[in-house]
Amino acid sequence: MRKTVGVLGICGVLAGCGALQVTPAAVPADSEGQTRPQSRPDGVQTEVQRPPSTARTADEFDTTSSEQRAVAAAAAPESAERALGSTIVSLGNAAQPGFWLETPLVTTPGSGRVVYPETGKSVQVDLIPVADGGSRLSLPAMRLIGVPLTGLAEVEVFSAG
């Protein structure tokens, strides 16, 4: 009986953690659902929309437009792109909009492309350096190239120019 109460108590505490709201450092706090300009590492200005604070599903968190998805998927690889290697990715911060990859494969921000060999699909992304050893891919990028949202997947990473 004592173990059951302890386990139930821990579950209750952990269930409350799901209500925590995290404001990612890369997305400045602004009014929910509003668009704002975002400067990519290559200097191109794009409009991104923060997900609403009530977002709970992948569709609600993915605020990219069909036009943005088409551009990210259709962009041809640059002839001067350089293979950076393969990395295992997990889902990044779903509240951070846009197409990006946080990875230790780069040391400076830049533009690049991620290929998921399982589907053969690729997506243009902003490459963001991290030092912690793990790679995280944005929700819109994962959905576009068919990477499972709840698992780990190996992708190939290329740097533009």
Side-chain angles (χ1 to χ4, degrees), residues 55-115:
R56 297 291 179 259
T57 67
D59 284 336
E60 293 169 339
F61 275 105
D62 185 353
T63 59
T64 57
S65 68
S66 57
E67 180 181 88
Q68 289 170 319
R69 288 189 291 276
V71 168
E78 293 190 23
S79 59
E81 75 179 1
R82 180 173 51 98
L84 298 177
S86 295
T87 187
I88 304 296
V89 296
S90 63
L91 177 62
N93 183 339
Q96 184 177 341
F99 298 93
W100 48 265
L101 172 68
E102 295 175 328
T103 181
L105 293 176
V106 295
T107 56
T108 58
S111 295
R113 185 169 64 97
V114 172
V115 177

Side-chain angles (χ1 to χ4, degrees), residues 21-29 36 50 93-97:
Q21 295 294 320
V22 178
T23 303
V27 181
R36 63 176 179 74
R50 293 193 66 208
N93 183 339
Q96 184 177 341

Side-chain angles (χ1 to χ4, degrees), residues 26-28 35-49 68 96-100 126 128:
V27 181
T35 60
R36 63 176 179 74
Q38 175 183 13
S39 244
R40 291 187 352 198
D42 61 4
V44 174
Q45 289 284 322
T46 59
E47 290 290 322
V48 294
Q49 181 175 340
Q68 289 170 319
Q96 184 177 341
F99 298 93
W100 48 265
D126 294 326
I128 303 166

Side-chain angles (χ1 to χ4, degrees), residues 125-157:
V125 296
D126 294 326
L127 299 172
I128 303 166
V130 293
D132 66 6
S135 292
R136 291 169 296 280
L137 190 58
S138 72
L139 174 67
M142 289 182 88
R143 294 181 73 195
L144 192 61
I145 62 175
V147 173
L149 301 179
T150 58
L152 301 175
E154 185 171 6
V155 298
E156 298 168 0
V157 182

